[in-house]
Amino acid sequence: MVKLSFSALLAESFGFFFANLRPFFHLVTIPWIASLAIRLVGSALSQESMLAVLVEKALDVVPTVMFMMAWQRLVLLGPNRVERLPGLGWSPRETAYLVHLLKIGGITFVLIAAFVLTVGTIDYSVLAPGAPVDPDLARRQALAAPLGAGFMVSALLALRVSYGLAATAVDVPFSPRLSWTYGRGNGWTIIGSLFVTFFVSAITTMLATLITLGFMRGALGAQEAAVVVTWTVALLVSYAGAAVAATVQANIFRTLLGWREGASLPATT
């Protein structure tokens, strides 16, 4: 049985990303622009509707799939096998990748959507000490609690089997069930390495957002332009985090299965 190393996975994945910044910018350009366009259109149409925010996030999956699939092919096959710049077309490979992603994270997205729609917009003033209890808010929180718990469990399970996306990126037939089977004995290492990667990405994106917005408004006095620039920077940092996470998934897949192009997968036991 192959035993994954938590520290080696993270070191190799972050090292690969920073050693390949040039191909990163080459592959991310069109998906980055597409995500920014989706964000701008979503903001123009509605800034208050929770449903509109969820639809915007769902649409943003498309450019993310294009980028992550191309990046994982870069990791596993090299730069000459990416084949097409992500965003210039949609192939059956992207369709298979998207279907695999929905199998992994579909339930998680449905649960978080149900949670957000159930809780709705919270007035944080009612959370202050001594504030009167809002019966409607209390009822919504009680209804949403099981959804929140289900989301946490499904998110951990999704992390556990998500490395199988790398198999689909290189045209290897795979499924969440196979990801679970081949990952036996390494479950918490897989979950931990991906959780840390996404956590670092979220913190870095938040810091980039705050720093960019503060600079644009404080030093330059910009208002509307500051928001657009901030979204642009935040989306780029977010894609960088997605690239590192995709690298971790690809390295897990290659290490666990001893994968090389053209070789058959090891037998499951």
Side-chain angles (χ1 to χ4, degrees), residues 81-98:
R81 297 293 300 282
V82 175
E83 296 181 1
R84 188 200 325 112
L85 193 64
L88 293 182
W90 185 270
S91 70
R93 186 182 291 138
E94 275 96 351
T95 301
Y97 196 98
L98 178 59

Side-chain angles (χ1 to χ4, degrees), residues 98-268:
L98 178 59
V99 170
H100 194 164
L101 180 62
L102 291 175
K103 290 178 181 178
I104 292 170
I107 294 177
T108 303
F109 182 82
V110 169
L111 287 173
I112 192 62
F115 179 86
V116 170
L117 293 175
T118 300
V119 174
T121 303
I122 298 177
D123 181 3
Y124 290 97
S125 64
V126 304
L127 303 179
V133 177
D134 184 345
D136 181 62
L137 176 60
R139 179 184 60 80
R140 286 187 281 129
Q141 289 177 336
L143 289 173
L147 295 173
F151 164 74
M152 294 301 297
V153 173
S154 67
L156 291 176
L157 292 175
L159 288 178
R160 170 66 172 76
V161 299
S162 66
Y163 74 89
L165 288 169
T168 302
V170 293
D171 304 320
V172 175
F174 222 69
S175 67
R177 182 185 63 82
L178 287 176
S179 296
W180 186 272
T181 301
Y182 284 115
R184 284 175 183 164
N186 292 285
W188 288 111
T189 303
I190 295 170
I191 292 172
S193 59
L194 287 169
F195 177 83
V196 168
T197 303
F198 282 116
F199 181 77
V200 171
S201 172
I203 294 298
T204 306
T205 302
M206 181 182 67
L207 290 175
T209 300
L210 294 175
I211 292 171
T212 305
L213 186 61
F215 174 78
M216 291 295 295
R217 287 184 172 173
L220 302 180
Q223 295 301 322
E224 289 80 5
V227 176
V228 176
V229 173
T230 300
W231 285 341
T232 304
V233 173
L235 285 169
L236 178 61
V237 175
S238 178
Y239 268 108
V244 177
T247 307
V248 174
Q249 291 169 341
N251 286 333
I252 291 172
F253 169 71
R254 178 165 50 196
T255 305
L256 273 183
L257 281 72
W259 179 83
R260 64 185 186 278
E261 189 176 12
S264 58
L265 299 181
T268 58

